[in-house]
Amino acid sequence: MSTDTLSSVVDRYVERTPRSRAAHERARALLPGGVNRTIVHHEPHPVFLARADGAWVTDLDGNRYLDALGNYTAMILGHGNRAVRDAVERQQRDGSAVALPSPREVEVAELLRERLPSIEQVRFTVSGTEATMMAIRAARAYTGRPLAAKFEGGYHGMHDYVALSVTPDPAAAGSPERPATVAPAGVPPGARDSVLVLPFNNPEAVDALLAEHGAEVAAVIVEPVMGSAGVIAPQPGFLERLREAADRHGIVLIFDEVMTLRLAYGGAQERFAVRPDLTTLAKVIGGGYPVAAVGGRREIMSVFDPATGPAVLFSGTWHAGPVCLAASAAALRQLDRGTVAALNARGDDVRARIGELLKGTRDLQVTGVGSLLCLHANSRPLLDYRAAAQGDRARIAALQLALLNEGVMIAPRGMFCLSVPMTDADLDHFVAALGRALAAVGEIEA
Ligand SMILES: Cc1ncc(COP(=O)(O)O)c(C=O)c1O
């Protein structure tokens, strides 16, 4: 991409978004980088939200965008869902947060158990970060072992034990079969020494590493489809082999389904027919409100049971807040089998249409499963983090900006997803906008 091409895309963006630019200038004085979430940052500045409705978002300058990011895949029902709003308003009147159990937590626990048979018991948190933190702690308490294993490029939130090797420089991360455990700034050596890093989609290497360290490993945590690494599907048999290895070594297998629950009524564990010991959930289960959960086998979850002796402390001020759980119940009821299957079928259809469009480019490709998709500037087969990390991120970031100019919002790293309120016309808009954006950044002939 020439410098002139890029600057004409940036110039057009700046021209269209003066109010967002002014808001960003104000924000920069008060919030590091002018944003509250790292992933919201992009050059020259993000657009600021005015309002969101259904599948569409309007910025401060009145520009409208098809929201194909859906708050990083969480807003599967779109914005302002009627049944969720009604449920929240009703619950608001009966109390929003009281230090008492409420029937809401039993109701949502039943809804989750119904769709995920591996969940015998559940505990709610506010964020996916807390859910993965408590899942790993439960596994350590249950097995009495010190190590947690995660996959290179896997994202499970912000706490120390999962912040390792999320975006390591592949050149400085050891051999692909024995990845180094790379700690970002602020993560102490103690956390680094408690985590074993495994390569995704490489069952032989995983078997070898677990044969060596398995007796010390409490848990393996895995995104059944790697999300933040580039929406990378597991190779046939990979998750099954992981299940077998976990059984062989007495390791608790945790499926982090924060992003993948949307891939089937019963999540990726149903789609790929592999049953984990524990599951972590967040995003779509909240119906637009902060609800997350850890659940799974009763005997492991019993480490949290205060009635049977000294339990692992599990006690967040906002956990299982009834307003959020009212939203959750209203959302889960709408996400029935037919709705989830139809959304994923539409995702497969859009991926095929985009694949056709990208045939006209040098090396752009689209990955994903069902309603989760990701664009890459990369000609390699995308089976793991390392392959995806070698793509040209600058070209994807330019495409994201060009897509905003065309009225479509995706992640700066190329990820996007479908939501239930998207119409066929919305999806046509997406594909047509992508065609114009590809021409604007010089990836295809104008
Ligand atoms: C797979 C996965 N796990 C955990 C998390 C963390 O969830 P939260 O942002 O709610 O802390 C995320 C967030 O993107 C995620 O994608």
Side-chain angles (χ1 to χ4, degrees), residues 127-129 132 155-157 223 256 258-259 282-283:
S127 66
T129 289
T132 63
Y155 183 69
H156 308 286
E223 298 169 87
D256 181 353
V258 166
M259 204 180 269
K283 295 197 191 283

Side-chain angles (χ1 to χ4, degrees), residues 65 77 183 209 253 268 280-281 301 323 421 428-429:
Y65 307 92
L77 292 171
L209 283 164
L253 180 61
T280 52
L281 301 166
M301 291 299 289
V323 168
D428 290 346
H429 166 70

Side-chain angles (χ1 to χ4, degrees), residues 29-47:
L30 297 161
L31 298 138
V35 290
N36 200 74
R37 295 163 70 183
T38 312
I39 47 166
V40 168
H41 163 83
H42 65 81
E43 297 296 336
H45 60 80
V47 293

